[in-house]
Amino acid sequence: MRSWRRLLAVLALAFMATGAQAQERPKIIIDDEGFALMHLMLIESDKVDVVGLTSVSGNVWANRATAMQLKGLEITQDEEIPVAEGATFPLVNTEAMTDRWEALYGKLTWKGAWMKEWVEPTVQSTPAYYGPHDPVELPGGNAKLKKSDEIAANFLIRMVRENPHQITIVACGPLTNLALAQRLDPEFASLVKELVYMGGSLNPRQVLDNVSADEFAREFVNSPRREFNARFDPEAASIVSRAPWPKLVMIPSDPSTGAQLTPELIARMAKVATPEVAEFISGMETGFPMWDEIAAAYVLDPSLETEGDDLYVDYNTQFGPGYGDTLSWREHYQPGLGEQKAHVVRAIDAQKLEAMMVEAMAEGNTAAR
């Protein structure tokens, strides 16, 4: 009788453990060049567990991105999430090379940390220009939180090895950190559960009929394969595209032309968010496409996608007019140089995206009570 009871107890414990494991939230590491709505969507959501942030140079330099991430975690009161600072410079590309490229082949719409002025008048403000090692003083003061002692590439490798096949990486900036991690540890990519990255461009079309949306959509008329994250560090994008990820999802520029951050959406999110988060998002500049937010929403619910494709993808690393451009092939047409097949999200439900953003802010408010 005791043996049967012991067996029943063991089976009950096993069942409980299985149930707990099934309910465990997916682990997420966000690799990006700042702190914005994409971070808030994943951190505030009750559907995933963000276990780390890594910074990289892109829109701003890595040291400023790190400071922004630390400040963001204080705002959300998620101070236990580690922040590891990443690569300051691209693998090969430089500001001087970009200036030379523009002199030869024409002006870029957006240059991120190298941006000094818009080529023509825009509704968006001109960002302040800083050097890569300039001291960082954020508006309202810097966070009291401190960054990790690890550099981002080492942090990524350690976390993936400690949690094999459990971590989804959401990368929404240049892919320098991931390329470095893969070169340091050739098994790195194979131990990740999934990589979802915002980058590359196939054939975007203007969807929203207003001036601010056109500021970004118009560049694709003559340069449909150019996108900032890949253009900032083409060599890193190529390395990542050839790495052996178990699952690779690409969010190109294409769906972003139909999804724009508006004052109305800001107001909807602020209404349901915590007071601290509401104040933060209310100060965001509107009029930009929601590139990164699409990636975050896809991680939370892939049914956001309304049109997709499976393509082999790589990036042009030849210094010429197509430097950094997206290369893609259907099955049988790829050159076979290591490029991996990616699931490409080509269109999304913009209304569902907005609803998911509002829902995530509300979930964060509920969890804070």
Side-chain angles (χ1 to χ4, degrees):
M1 183 67 71
R2 286 183 181 180
S3 61
W4 278 105
R5 288 177 179 175
R6 187 179 297 116
L7 177 59
L8 289 172
V10 170
L11 290 173
L13 288 172
F15 178 80
M16 292 171 60
T18 302
Q21 186 175 9
Q23 295 175 5
E24 185 178 356
R25 295 184 298 164
K27 294 180 174 64
I28 304 291
I29 293 178
I30 305 173
D31 182 73
D32 189 50
E33 74 268 67
F35 189 94
L37 282 172
M38 177 270 295
H39 295 80
L40 289 173
M41 290 172 65
L42 294 171
I43 291 172
E44 296 290 86
S45 173
D46 60 12
K47 298 177 179 62
V48 296
D49 180 18
V50 177
V51 297
L53 305 181
T54 52
S55 64
V56 67
S57 290
N59 288 333
V60 299
W61 293 109
N63 62 345
R64 182 165 294 273
T66 302
M68 294 166 68
Q69 291 177 359
L70 293 170
K71 185 79 169 182
L73 291 178
E74 283 193 347
I75 291 170
T76 63
Q77 300 180 24
D78 289 281
E79 301 178 4
E80 75 285 355
I81 298 176
V83 174
E85 188 167 312
T88 299
F89 300 105
L91 299 183
V92 176
N93 196 23
T94 65
E95 185 172 3
M97 287 174 62
T98 301
D99 290 341
R100 175 62 59 86
W101 189 95
E102 287 189 305
L104 293 170
Y105 305 115
K107 305 302 181 183
L108 296 169
T109 301
W110 176 250
K111 294 188 288 186
W114 301 326
M115 192 79 173
K116 295 179 180 177
E117 61 184 4
W118 296 98
V119 176
E120 57 184 315
T122 68
V123 298
Q124 287 84 16
S125 61
T126 302
Y129 179 82
Y130 299 99
H133 305 298
D134 287 350
V136 178
E137 290 294 336
L138 297 179
N142 294 339
K144 295 180 181 178
L145 288 177
K146 301 300 180 183
K147 66 182 181 180
S148 168
D149 292 333
E150 286 183 289
I151 61 173
N154 288 344
F155 173 80
L156 288 164
I157 292 170
R158 178 177 63 81
M159 290 295 290
V160 166
R161 285 199 166 274
E162 290 178 357
N163 303 273
H165 312 296
Q166 297 180 50
I167 290 180
T168 294
I169 298 176
V170 184
C172 293
L175 298 172
T176 318
N177 290 335
L178 302 187
L180 289 170
Q182 182 62 21
R183 283 295 187 256
L184 287 168
D185 182 357
E187 293 184 346
F188 166 71
S190 65
L191 294 173
V192 172
K193 177 181 179 182
E194 179 180 14
L195 170 62
V196 178
Y197 77 96
M198 189 278 130
S201 182
L202 297 178
N203 193 26
R205 289 288 185 268
Q206 182 177 342
V207 175
L208 300 175
D209 186 20
N210 59 55
V211 175
S212 56
D214 185 54
E215 298 293 337
F216 289 91
R218 67 188 177 200
E219 72 173 296
F220 300 120
V221 174
N222 296 306
S223 305
R225 292 284 171 143
R226 185 182 303 157
E227 182 275 327
F228 168 73
N229 286 341
R231 179 59 182 73
F232 193 81
D233 194 343
E235 288 74 19
S238 182
I239 290 171
V240 169
S241 295
R242 300 181 186 204
W245 312 96
K247 185 177 181 181
L248 178 61
V249 178
M250 172 188 178
I251 312 290
S253 294
D254 301 52
S256 70
T257 59
Q260 182 188 356
L261 183 62
T262 63
E264 293 76 18
L265 178 56
I266 289 284
R268 288 170 59 195
M269 290 188 290
K271 185 177 180 180
V272 300
T274 65
E276 296 80 8
V277 170
E279 181 180 1
F280 177 71
I281 62 179
S282 294
M284 290 181 172
E285 185 174 3
T286 58
F288 287 93
M290 293 191 288
W291 301 282
D292 300 351
E293 291 75 16
I294 295 172
Y298 180 88
V299 170
L300 295 174
D301 185 358
S303 70
L304 172 83
E305 177 187 330
T306 59
E307 181 183 347
D309 214 342
D310 292 321
L311 299 171
Y312 288 90
V313 176
D314 201 349
Y315 293 89
N316 189 344
T317 58
Q318 302 300 313
F319 190 81
Y323 185 52
D325 282 4
T326 307
L327 307 173
S328 63
W329 307 267
R330 296 199 179 278
E331 187 74 61
H332 308 302
Y333 290 89
Q334 72 275 17
L337 298 175
E339 57 282 336
Q340 300 294 305
K341 183 179 288 187
H343 180 70
V344 181
V345 178
R346 304 196 73 150
I348 55 103
D349 183 335
Q351 291 185 336
K352 185 169 185 175
L353 169 64
E354 293 188 6
M356 292 174 66
M357 295 171 72
V358 174
E359 180 184 12
M361 302 307 137
E363 289 173 351
N365 193 353
T366 300
R369 292 174 185 171

